[in-house]
Amino acid sequence: MHLSESVNTGFLFLAPWLVFFPVIGLLINTLFGHKFSERMIGAVASLASGAAFVVSVLLYVTVSGAHGEAMRWQLAEWMHIGTLSLDWTFRVDSLSTTMMLVVSGVGTLIHIYAIGYMHEDVRFKNDVGRFRRFFVFLNLFIAAMMVLITGDSYLMLFVGWEGVGLCSFLLVGFWYELDLLARPSWSNSFAAVKAFVANRVGDFGFLIATFIMFWAFGSLQFDKVFQQVPTVAPGVIIAITLFFLLGVTGKSAQVPLYVWLPDAMAGPTPVSALIHAATMVTAGVYLVARSAPLYSSVPEAQNIVALVGAVTALFAATIAAGQFDIKKVLAYSTISQLGFMVAAVGMGAYVAGIFHLVTHAFFKALLFLSAGSVILGMERGHHHAAHANHDNHGKGKKKDGKRKVESEHDAHHDTRAERSAEHEVEAFDPGDMRNMGGLRKTMPVTFWVYMAGMVALSGIPPFSGFWSKDEILLDASMHNQVVYWLLTIAAFFTAFYMGRQIWMVFFGEARHEAAARAEESPKVITVPLIILAALAVLGGALNLPFEGFHNLGHWLEATLGEVESLPLNLQVAGISTLLALLAILISWLMYARKPFAKDQTDPLASLGILFKGMNSKWWIDELYHLLFINPYIKISYFIAEVIDWRFWHDWFHEKVIMGTYNWISFTGLNEYADQKGIDAFANGLGTWTQSLAGTLRKVQNGFVRSYALSILLGVVLILGYLIFK
């Protein structure tokens, strides 16, 4: 444990339990979950996340008692190689405790919501095995996220960074057998792989930054790095911060690596809320805020970060305005709002960025979960409609006199009806806003909480989103006019597409029978929504722009250094509010004054190519395919077909290797070595032996005189040898 002598450690010893509690939860469900009911599995996972939230509160109290001073708790020694000394040490300060409370608090509400959502999921309803696996992954994600935000070094941060990336892959591809419409498909698996690959590209930048950092600073521990910043060449720090930015664009879905997040909406809605709205995607914002001493020393890098965030905010907002899938709208909205956060921390407005991170977690998690409630309501309505149509069809038989029972015909008829219903399920998309309408009547609780989230996201006072977004706009107006106007226009589009969504989903008449028969979600779903709605309304109180109310700013000063507490600027606030109201008014004129009807062409289609661009996501996916995917496929095909098969297999393997082997086997060894060598030698030896034997046979004629002559010759030879020796 490394602590200042004057600091009261309080509940600091509980820091490791931020990770341990979720791990214990997933272990219990892994080992014993097969014996549990769905509610028990969900309760164990939710309690594990809730316990982490309690620990977060106690650590907040501890840090408050230490006046925000950073505190550390060393759990275990890890890596000691040369000058590299890294341990698993928990860092508890004002920034990390803020993230702890958001991750565990919002995460717990999402866990509770998921109990109801996954139970009603039409894909694997009442499948306890899959239900258990889902909550195991959720707990694993919470544990990994806690490692990320509590690590005392860039390496520990990276460990958690990779951990949440793994969990994202597992959860996005959770429905790997089926697509959004519950049809056999690889689309969800492709979405998971896309998310994984895009994040690994960003992670490559993170790794390069850490390599340069260790070379320049000799350490990866936060305090040791920050203390040496004045002694290191600015060019080196620029390289580190820009490579970190590459990691940010991957994890926090910024241009150019944002493309994975919209597809990630293929996963279950609790995943969208937890990972892709409230927690994981904010890791990049946290990284920049944690690295404030690095970025603050190189304004050139700050400007680039701010510009990337602002461009992303506007670009994604325009795409959101042209989407019809209820979750895709929110997905591009998330990318846009992350752009606001990245722009803020890029400008050095770290408190404003973290403030928006917190409020965004409230209202965007609320909106995603509410969208999930809408989808479930539509699925229930479609189920009732299918059964009602089936029953009505069965009642259409006419009776002549006596009642005739045609068992075989009825069975055949029912099968056809079921098949027809199944076909209809395949054609019906419960997430398409064009199938909705009038849901405020059938789903009143979901409607009101959705309204709270919509107003907060649109930046209407006094809701939370207004205070946090206005603080970012105020900072931008003072430091970077380009960023300010990009963000202001993005805010206008935000209010427009949220108004468009509200009018299409909840107002007018039902455009599909499923919408007419939709049902409100159970309390296990609606209660977390109500709590998040309250936070979306009141969350702005964390950092009001009035004297004595800059609570979050004062809280973060201990970690981020002295921060500028800006008062309310009526001009900036007035412009943003008027633009938001104007955007909502325009959306009402287009979609609500004359309610959007069934099979109606979207009013935005009058914009021609502009709407096609927004709806087609400005053809960026097609551009990526043209520039990266297709060349990669062609290169892969060339390597596989030409180099591997034609060259290596067909020519080198067959001609060179096998040809050489065959020549050696059949020509060299068989013909020359065996036939002309060994066989020739053996045959020659046999022929010589036979010839010799024939000669010797002539000598052995059986006459005494011949033997006497032989003896005489032998004696002569011996005497000759002895004489001439």
Side-chain angles (χ1 to χ4, degrees):
M1 182 175 64
H2 304 288
L3 292 168
S4 156
E5 294 293 334
S6 62
V7 174
N8 181 10
T9 61
F11 298 101
L12 185 62
F13 67 94
L14 293 175
W17 290 95
L18 291 167
V19 178
F20 292 164
F21 275 130
V23 170
I24 291 172
L26 71 89
L27 288 176
I28 291 175
N29 277 331
T30 300
L31 297 175
F32 309 108
H34 63 282
K35 299 180 180 179
F36 296 164
S37 65
E38 286 187 356
R39 287 188 176 274
M40 185 64 180
I41 293 170
V44 169
S46 300
L47 287 172
S49 181
F53 176 71
V54 173
V55 172
S56 301
V57 173
L58 295 175
L59 291 175
Y60 165 78
V61 173
T62 299
V63 175
S64 297
H67 305 290
E69 181 178 347
M71 310 172 75
R72 299 169 187 84
W73 185 272
Q74 181 177 316
L75 179 64
E77 294 185 352
W78 183 21
M79 195 180 299
H80 295 273
I81 305 174
T83 59
L84 178 63
S85 181
L86 293 170
D87 300 313
W88 188 357
T89 301
F90 289 82
R91 183 184 185 92
V92 183
D93 57 23
S94 58
L95 179 59
S96 64
T97 52
T98 301
M99 295 294 295
M100 292 174 202
L101 291 168
V102 172
V103 171
S104 59
V106 176
T108 300
L109 293 173
I110 294 173
H111 274 69
I112 297 171
Y113 170 97
I115 298 173
Y117 184 90
M118 297 305 293
H119 171 72
E120 295 207 4
D121 175 42
V122 297
R123 296 161 181 82
F124 309 116
K125 190 174 182 179
N126 298 321
D127 187 343
V128 178
R130 294 182 185 272
F131 192 91
R132 178 182 66 198
R133 179 163 59 88
F134 179 79
F135 279 93
V136 167
F137 292 164
L138 282 189
N139 275 168
L140 181 62
F141 171 81
I142 295 292
M145 194 67 195
M146 287 301 182
V147 173
L148 189 157
I149 60 181
T150 61
D152 193 40
S153 68
Y154 283 102
L155 188 58
M156 286 305 305
L157 192 156
F158 185 74
V159 170
W161 187 278
E162 291 300 291
V164 296
L166 170 64
C167 294
S168 178
F169 171 78
L170 295 172
L171 289 166
V172 170
F174 187 77
W175 291 324
Y176 59 89
E177 294 123 325
L178 303 173
D179 66 6
L180 181 64
L181 306 181
R183 300 172 299 190
S185 172
W186 287 97
S187 61
N188 292 345
S189 297
F190 291 157
V193 172
K194 186 177 182 179
F196 191 82
V197 172
N199 274 272
R200 298 296 76 74
V201 173
D203 296 349
F204 182 69
F206 192 120
L207 283 174
I208 294 177
T210 56
F211 293 151
I212 299 174
M213 179 180 293
F214 183 71
W215 168 76
F217 295 93
S219 177
L220 297 177
Q221 200 270 330
F222 293 142
D223 289 343
K224 292 182 179 179
V225 170
F226 299 156
Q227 290 169 2
Q228 300 180 63
V229 168
T231 65
V232 176
V236 175
I237 299 178
I238 289 175
I240 293 172
T241 52
L242 292 184
F243 276 117
F244 272 150
L245 176 60
L246 180 58
V248 172
T249 62
K251 194 67 71 181
S252 293
Q254 300 293 284
V255 172
L257 297 179
Y258 73 93
V259 292
W260 67 269
L261 194 146
D263 289 353
M265 296 304 106
T269 298
V271 176
S272 305
L274 179 64
I275 295 181
H276 307 128
T279 54
M280 187 191 88
V281 293
T282 63
V285 181
Y286 170 77
L287 172 63
V288 178
R290 175 61 72 188
S291 306
L294 292 172
Y295 282 94
S296 298
S297 67
V298 283
E300 302 88 347
Q302 283 186 304
N303 292 331
I304 295 174
V305 174
L307 189 61
V308 168
V311 170
T312 303
L314 177 56
F315 182 74
T318 62
I319 298 176
Q323 302 304 303
F324 292 106
D325 184 281
I326 188 172
K327 288 175 65 177
K328 282 289 181 70
V329 174
L330 299 178
Y332 281 104
S333 173
T334 296
I335 298 172
S336 179
Q337 296 306 305
L338 288 168
F340 275 84
M341 302 175 207
V342 171
V345 294
M347 294 183 295
Y350 302 108
V351 172
I354 298 299
F355 184 26
H356 197 55
L357 183 155
V358 175
T359 61
H360 181 265
F362 298 154
F363 60 71
K364 188 52 66 68
L366 168 65
L367 287 168
F368 267 115
L369 297 183
S370 298
S373 178
V374 168
I375 292 172
L376 289 181
M378 292 288 290
E379 289 176 346
R380 286 189 294 267
H382 183 256
H383 176 75
H384 295 321
H387 278 275
N389 293 334
H390 174 59
D391 293 341
N392 292 334
H393 195 281
K395 295 176 181 178
K397 296 179 183 180
K398 295 182 179 180
K399 295 183 284 184
D400 292 325
K402 297 181 180 179
R403 179 173 180 172
K404 297 180 180 180
V405 180
E406 299 173 317
S407 303
E408 294 182 1
H409 178 271
D410 288 348
H412 178 66
H413 173 79
D414 291 343
T415 302
R416 289 175 58 190
E418 291 173 0
R419 289 175 179 173
S420 178
E422 291 174 358
H423 178 74
E424 176 66 16
V425 169
E426 293 183 354
F428 169 71
D429 185 354
D432 194 327
M433 297 189 299
R434 291 169 294 189
N435 291 329
M436 302 176 186
L439 290 181
R440 75 184 190 280
K441 302 173 184 177
T442 54
M443 304 184 69
V445 176
T446 300
F447 164 67
W448 284 112
V449 296
Y450 211 108
M451 282 291 294
M454 173 264 185
V455 177
L457 175 56
S458 299
I460 305 298
F463 288 72
S464 61
F466 165 77
W467 302 110
S468 58
K469 190 177 294 185
D470 183 72
E471 188 167 338
I472 295 174
L473 292 174
L474 179 56
D475 276 291
S477 69
M478 298 173 59
H479 300 102
N480 194 317
Q481 285 296 309
V482 174
V483 171
Y484 168 72
W485 284 110
L486 288 173
L487 295 180
T488 299
I489 299 171
F492 172 83
F493 274 97
T494 300
F496 174 80
Y497 64 66
M498 288 309 302
R500 172 178 177 265
Q501 189 176 66
I502 285 290
W503 309 132
M504 289 184 68
V505 173
F506 293 102
F507 287 81
E509 299 298 325
R511 294 182 293 276
H512 193 283
E513 194 172 358
R517 296 177 178 269
E519 293 181 355
E520 184 61 88
S521 298
K523 290 183 179 180
V524 70
I525 290 177
T526 57
V527 169
L529 296 181
I530 293 171
I531 297 173
L532 286 170
L535 293 172
V537 175
L538 304 174
L542 290 171
N543 201 53
L544 294 175
F546 305 114
E547 188 67 30
F549 289 91
H550 294 279
N551 299 318
L552 185 62
H554 295 317
W555 171 247
L556 293 175
E557 277 185 342
T559 301
L560 301 177
E562 186 177 352
V563 296
E564 187 178 9
S565 299
L566 300 176
L568 179 66
N569 187 302
L570 294 179
Q571 180 180 345
V572 173
I575 291 174
S576 66
T577 302
L578 288 175
L579 286 176
L581 294 174
L582 176 62
I584 294 173
L585 175 62
I586 294 173
S587 69
W588 179 83
L589 293 172
M590 297 177 68
Y591 295 92
R593 185 179 63 169
K594 185 179 179 181
F596 190 79
K598 184 178 182 181
D599 300 325
Q600 177 185 339
T601 302
D602 193 290
L604 285 177
S606 60
L607 297 177
I609 189 66
L610 291 178
F611 175 70
K612 290 182 179 179
M614 292 187 291
N615 183 250
S616 302
K617 299 163 284 188
W618 299 115
W619 303 283
I620 295 298
D621 286 345
E622 289 80 2
L623 181 62
Y624 271 57
H625 273 81
L626 179 65
L627 296 179
F628 302 107
I629 305 301
N630 290 340
Y632 175 79
I633 293 174
K634 290 179 179 179
I635 293 173
S636 300
Y637 178 83
F638 176 79
I639 294 174
E641 182 67 21
V642 178
I643 295 181
D644 187 24
W645 281 103
R646 296 181 187 178
F647 173 75
W648 178 254
H649 185 271
D650 293 347
W651 183 79
F652 190 80
H653 183 267
E654 295 292 337
K655 302 294 184 183
V656 178
I657 298 179
M658 292 302 298
T660 303
Y661 174 79
N662 290 334
W663 186 90
I664 293 174
S665 299
F666 295 101
T667 303
L669 295 177
N670 183 43
E671 182 177 348
Y672 289 97
D674 188 20
Q675 296 181 16
K676 295 183 179 182
I678 298 174
D679 287 354
F681 175 78
N683 292 333
L685 182 63
T687 302
W688 180 80
T689 302
Q690 187 178 9
S691 176
L692 180 63
T695 302
L696 293 175
R697 190 166 51 250
K698 293 178 181 180
V699 175
Q700 296 177 343
N701 52 22
F703 294 107
V704 175
R705 60 180 179 269
S706 297
Y707 296 122
L709 180 60
S710 298
I711 294 171
L712 178 60
L713 291 173
V715 172
V716 171
L717 290 172
I718 294 171
L719 290 174
Y721 172 78
L722 294 175
I723 293 171
F724 296 105
K725 178 178 178 183

